[in-house]
Amino acid sequence: MPVNRNALIRYRTIDSCLQNRRRKWTLDDLIDACSDAIYEYQGINTGVSRRTIQADIEMMRSNKLGYEAPIIVVDKKYYTYEDKNYSITNIPLNQQDMQVLSEVSDLLKQFKGFNHFSDLNEMVIKLEDKIYTQKTHSVPVVDFEKNDNLKGLEWIEVIRKFIVAKKTMCVTYQSFKAREASTFCFSPYLLKEYRNRWFVLGLSHQRHAPLLTLALDRIQDITAHEDEYRENTTIDLATYYNDVLGVTKSPGQRDVEVVFWIDNKNAPYVITKPLHHTQKQLSEDADGIIFSIRVIPNFELERELLGFGSKLKVLGPRILVKQIKEQLRKTLENYSLHTHVITSE
């Protein structure tokens, strides 16, 4: 059965709402969410009728689109999925979906090779591989890095909408260091990915609060808040993370030249995949190569350098050399002072 774009947007929006079990969804809530989504994606501001959403729910419950969504009503008022793990995005692709994906893939392939669209190359490869495996019922021929247990991904689209609409979020957040969660108003500016983890950069509305980078996997809840959105007027979002490895950064920090030596066997890995875009080769001898990068020292930098073990030696700055030495000393203590006995039956 053909599905028009507006209907598909509504189905996906209803699905997204019902997956969010942190909130109870009335029919009016679903109508508002679908109206907002139609306006965002289509620019149509006429709203969505009650009858339309009721028909959408019945369509999703049926097998006409292959969904057979287990939508139930709790307390004669609130809509939810009976199966908390259900999503229409988990069902196999039908023939119409495959046709749409093929058309999208053909369109994107036209832009391959253009510098402005270089970011699309990986996306096109993923899409083509997905179409191939669905059509041939075979295993994928490209295995991309992924983490199926990654938490927080459900917040990406939620936060993106707040950023685009320039609206304030009310965030319930608990860092790894905090004993309990806290709730505060937050103006989001930028979503950032680093090594398969997602973060959002923005401004907390707490008094004198600095810019914050929140890990999405530590967010417990997000709701809209009427507090006035605070526009970014201080930083260039396009370059904010250019002087760091990872996402850990505080206002006022300055980058430094980090110099390190790496042995000949491992140098090719650093040459072909630089630690940072500022990486330079300074000198070379019979045993290895000396490189430099210009970054703000942080936790992610230390972890990256320590990952090479004895194959890499940090030469400067002195404060970083001292910190690396301290980390290595503690590592040796873990092996010499603490004995963990592993038994097996």
Side-chain angles (χ1 to χ4, degrees):
M1 175 179 292
V3 179
N4 64 45
R5 178 174 171 80
N6 284 359
L8 186 58
I9 292 172
R10 296 196 305 270
Y11 298 153
R12 295 296 174 89
T13 303
I14 294 171
D15 178 64
S16 178
C17 291
L18 300 188
Q19 285 184 77
N20 181 6
R21 304 176 80 86
R22 297 178 179 86
R23 173 178 172 179
K24 294 182 177 180
W25 297 91
T26 65
L27 186 61
D28 287 336
D29 292 332
L30 296 177
I31 292 170
D32 291 341
C34 289
S35 297
D36 291 343
I38 293 293
Y39 176 70
E40 179 184 353
Y41 289 106
Q42 299 285 73
I44 301 173
N45 198 24
T46 56
V48 179
S49 71
R50 191 179 191 87
R51 183 175 179 180
T52 296
I53 299 303
Q54 289 173 327
D56 288 342
I57 292 173
E58 289 307 310
M59 180 64 74
M60 292 173 67
R61 282 171 170 161
S62 74
N63 64 358
K64 293 180 180 179
L65 298 175
Y67 294 161
E68 296 184 282
I71 301 174
I72 58 173
V73 181
V74 180
D75 298 332
K76 299 181 180 180
K77 184 176 183 181
Y78 302 110
Y79 288 79
T80 188
Y81 282 140
E82 187 174 22
D83 179 0
K84 65 179 182 180
N85 296 317
Y86 177 86
S87 171
I88 63 173
T89 60
N90 293 334
I91 66 172
L93 298 175
N94 58 34
Q95 192 60 39
Q96 184 182 2
D97 294 330
M98 290 299 300
Q99 179 63 33
V100 172
L101 283 177
S102 296
E103 292 174 0
V104 172
S105 177
D106 291 340
L107 177 62
L108 292 176
K109 279 190 288 188
Q110 297 179 33
F111 295 98
K112 289 178 71 174
F114 286 83
N115 290 335
H116 294 300
F117 296 94
S118 58
D119 292 344
L120 293 177
N121 291 341
E122 182 176 321
M123 183 193 305
V124 174
I125 294 172
K126 287 183 178 180
L127 189 55
E128 289 178 332
D129 193 52
K130 183 67 175 178
I131 295 170
Y132 168 78
T133 56
Q134 289 287 328
K135 285 184 176 180
T136 61
H137 303 287
S138 59
V139 296
V141 296
V142 183
D143 188 13
F144 287 93
E145 183 179 2
K146 57 186 177 292
N147 184 348
D148 294 332
N149 297 318
L150 195 63
K151 297 180 180 179
L153 297 183
E154 68 273 18
W155 298 123
I156 294 176
E157 181 62 14
V158 175
I159 295 173
R160 189 193 69 83
K161 289 181 178 179
F162 275 100
I163 294 174
V164 172
K166 293 186 177 181
K167 290 185 177 180
T168 297
M169 309 187 312
C170 183
V171 181
T172 300
Y173 187 83
Q174 184 175 5
S175 70
F176 289 124
K177 297 179 181 179
R179 293 186 176 181
E180 57 185 27
S182 60
T183 301
F184 52 89
C185 289
F186 187 78
S187 292
Y189 300 146
L190 178 70
L191 281 161
K192 167 74 173 177
E193 182 188 16
Y194 177 67
R195 291 193 170 178
N196 276 340
R197 289 189 72 200
W198 282 87
F199 305 83
V200 57
L201 172 70
L203 184 67
S204 170
H205 290 201
Q206 295 174 341
R207 190 175 182 183
H208 303 307
L211 283 169
L212 295 178
T213 300
L214 305 179
L216 267 59
D217 57 15
R218 307 308 302 159
I219 294 177
Q220 297 181 2
D221 192 29
I222 295 177
T223 57
H225 199 279
E226 294 303 315
D227 210 6
E228 185 178 357
Y229 182 83
R230 301 184 182 181
E231 295 269 9
N232 165 45
T233 59
T234 59
I235 62 171
D236 181 358
L237 295 174
T239 62
Y240 182 72
Y241 290 106
N242 282 3
D243 53 6
V244 292
L245 215 65
V247 296
T248 305
K249 180 179 179 181
S250 300
Q253 278 186 296
R254 286 190 160 187
D255 56 18
V256 298
E257 184 179 37
V258 176
V259 181
F260 59 93
W261 170 92
I262 190 164
D263 68 17
N264 281 327
K265 288 185 178 180
N266 289 271
Y269 295 100
V270 176
I271 293 173
T272 55
K273 188 182 179 182
L275 270 59
H276 192 256
H277 66 87
T278 59
Q279 181 172 298
K280 297 178 182 179
Q281 182 174 325
L282 301 183
S283 63
E284 182 176 359
D285 58 30
D287 299 319
I289 300 177
I290 295 177
F291 296 93
S292 73
I293 56 176
R294 192 158 195 91
V295 293
I296 290 173
N298 61 8
F299 165 73
E300 292 95 328
L301 173 65
E302 289 186 26
R303 186 171 60 181
E304 184 73 23
L305 297 172
L306 287 167
F308 285 92
S310 63
K311 313 302 181 183
L312 181 147
K313 180 180 180 181
V314 178
L315 304 176
R318 283 184 294 176
I319 183 65
L320 181 59
V321 173
K322 182 179 180 181
Q323 290 169 343
I324 294 294
K325 282 183 177 180
E326 180 63 15
Q327 292 292 343
L328 292 173
R329 184 188 65 78
K330 290 180 180 178
T331 299
L332 287 173
E333 284 184 359
N334 286 338
Y335 284 96
S336 60
L337 299 180
H338 302 284
T339 302
H340 300 277
V341 179
I342 300 176
T343 59
S344 59
E345 297 180 358

